[in-house]
Amino acid sequence: STAHFVTDLLFHLLNYSLDLTWLLTRAYTPERFFDEIRGISEGASIPYKDFLRLSLFHEVQYVFDYVCLTFSFIMGSGSLVGAWGKATADGNGVFMRGYDWGMDNPMSKYPVIVVYHSTEEGSIPFADIGYIGIIGTITAINAKGLALGMKPWPAISTEGVKTRWAGKPWHFTLRDIAQFTYKMDDAVKSLKETIRTTSMHVGIMTNDSKTYKGIRYSAEKLSVYDDMNYPQSDEKHPLIAGVNYVDKTYQPSTDDCLGSLLKTNQGKINAEFMYKQLAPLHKSGDCQMIVFDMGKQDMYFAFNTFTPKTAAYNLSLIHI
């Protein structure tokens, strides 16, 4: 039938794109990632090539960027909020990361938190908050007080960002930040030195700097923003002392919900405010809702449920 033909064609296109992604990024990818993929595939009795393709699923979006196609099921969307200093109730940093990947996305049925204790020189124990089968990082926190998350920045957005065919996959880049750095300057330096492929927003908070940085990451340029130099400053996205944020919409934002809530609660922001008010009212974090209380090294998290279908931001969060 026509439906079967189209489905088969799309699967072949996706597999071809994933294979092309591997060919173009393998020279920039540390061998330890392939070793891990090989080990998991052997342990799970899954063909290595299939698991390799799955591990590159997030990265494949940049292939479609070249033909001006953006698929939200590949990278998702989300919001990133960092608050610190006088903006928070206790002066310590608080970081909210809402990941919107669509509750019908089959990958969202299989969330996982993996804690790595690598013996590789320079490694820091870290928790990777993601999904089974994807070994790179979309959200993470390490034992020395660095937390990070990402939000896509589509190449077809009005800002005309550029992507690159060959480079290091972005989710492997972020995982290396979580595994090997804890100082803000070192994290930013590592991102700048990376041969980057795609475009996205990255949020990083460190106890070392006691601040948060919002980063626009693309193949050609890496721009780092604090609370007062973010390029959008208007009624939809007011600049707020001690706060840096991007909401779930395409940037520049056309939604004033996040900015107005943060401005009203400046000086009173804490983890509870973020997961009880900010995320539910903004409706961000349908698949993954994470709040890091950096001063206490605490994490609050929830993943969406399927029966009944409930967004993560509407659930009671687990505290660890």
Side-chain angles (χ1 to χ4, degrees), residues 39-89:
I40 296 173
S41 69
E42 290 176 0
S45 299
I46 298 172
Y48 172 74
K49 191 171 184 179
D50 289 348
F51 196 78
L52 178 64
R53 285 170 171 167
L54 180 60
S55 297
L56 290 170
F57 183 70
H58 276 315
E59 176 68 14
V60 78
Q61 175 60 58
Y62 83 92
V63 174
F64 296 110
D65 286 339
Y66 276 88
V67 289
C68 296
L69 291 174
T70 293
F71 297 113
S72 62
F73 70 87
I74 293 178
M75 290 180 73
S77 185
S79 55
L80 300 167
V81 181
W84 66 94
K86 293 182 179 180
T88 64

